[in-house]
Amino acid sequence: MSDLLLLGLVGGLTLLLLLTLLAFAGYSGLLTGVAVSAGSSLIHNITVAYKFHVGPYGDTGRLFTESCSISPKLRSIAVYYDNPHTVPPEKCRCAVGSILSEGEELPSPELICLYQKFGFKIFSFPAPSHVVTAAFPYTTALSIWLAAHRVHRALDTYIKERKLCAHPRLEIYQQDQIHFMCPLARQGDFYVPEVKETERKCRGLVEASDTQVDDAGADTMSDTSSVSLEVSPGSRDTSATTLSPGVSSRGWDDGDHRSEHSYSESGASGSSFEELDLEGEGPLGESRLEPEDKPLGATSGPQFP
């Protein structure tokens, strides 16, 4: 009898623990639906204090903690520039910090000096006219993990299906809500100077490699030409054939290497917000190719060599 009582007590406690965990997960947003829409932005132009981070996005928790410890009453913000599904974790870039002011209000000089004292930089973002937006409850620490796995996936699907050009990804932590935004206009104004600097360095490396390839191709052509001059006159066809690899040494692989980095590559065709019908104006992402328009590369008649 005592064994049955003990077994029932253990089963009851286990069931109670499971119910508690389910209630906690539900309170954190496990059962909350993710609604993605396109429309006007919820924020105006803002001034932020941020720190730039290159590495796995999971390592940004210390930056949130540092910015919140300086001024706990301010809203936290994070701007993610790279897609972690396509970019190696050690190359992902983001900016994390706090919103110092919004709208016409200017941040106090004392607050700016305080953040700069701890190594934060000051930058201003404009008010985006149109954004892709979503929201998620922010009630517990588990809410952050759930939002990272559910909301970003929903944003990816929404943007890809409608072929939008929406980047970068903004997260704003405000009271009990996490607001997600992807600007559809003026995207370049949301890139901090460190991101632009890395892009310039990448372009410089690509151009340098292209120059080396061109020089190598030119050397190959000159060497081949010098050799072909020494061949007998009856071998002109062979010398002409030898020159062709030097001419076609740059193939399809010489593309822009920036395509592997930015969230801007997530949209298939990169449609702007001007091609997007907002709520109440029709379906989103419809193609608007006029009858007289022709796709790129189309020909109007037979082509002769």
Side-chain angles (χ1 to χ4, degrees), residues 31 41 46-47 121 139 234:
L31 304 178
S41 174
I46 56 177
T47 301
K121 297 182 179 180
T139 53

Side-chain angles (χ1 to χ4, degrees), residues 19-34 135-151 173 175-178 180:
L19 292 176
T20 303
L21 292 176
L22 288 176
F24 177 76
Y27 179 70
S28 301
L30 178 64
L31 304 178
T32 303
V34 179
F136 198 81
Y138 179 40
T139 53
T140 65
L142 181 61
S143 301
I144 302 175
W145 186 87
L146 292 173
H149 287 76
R150 297 186 59 197
V151 179
Y173 295 79
Q175 296 179 355
D176 59 347
Q177 290 281 320
I178 306 176
F180 297 82

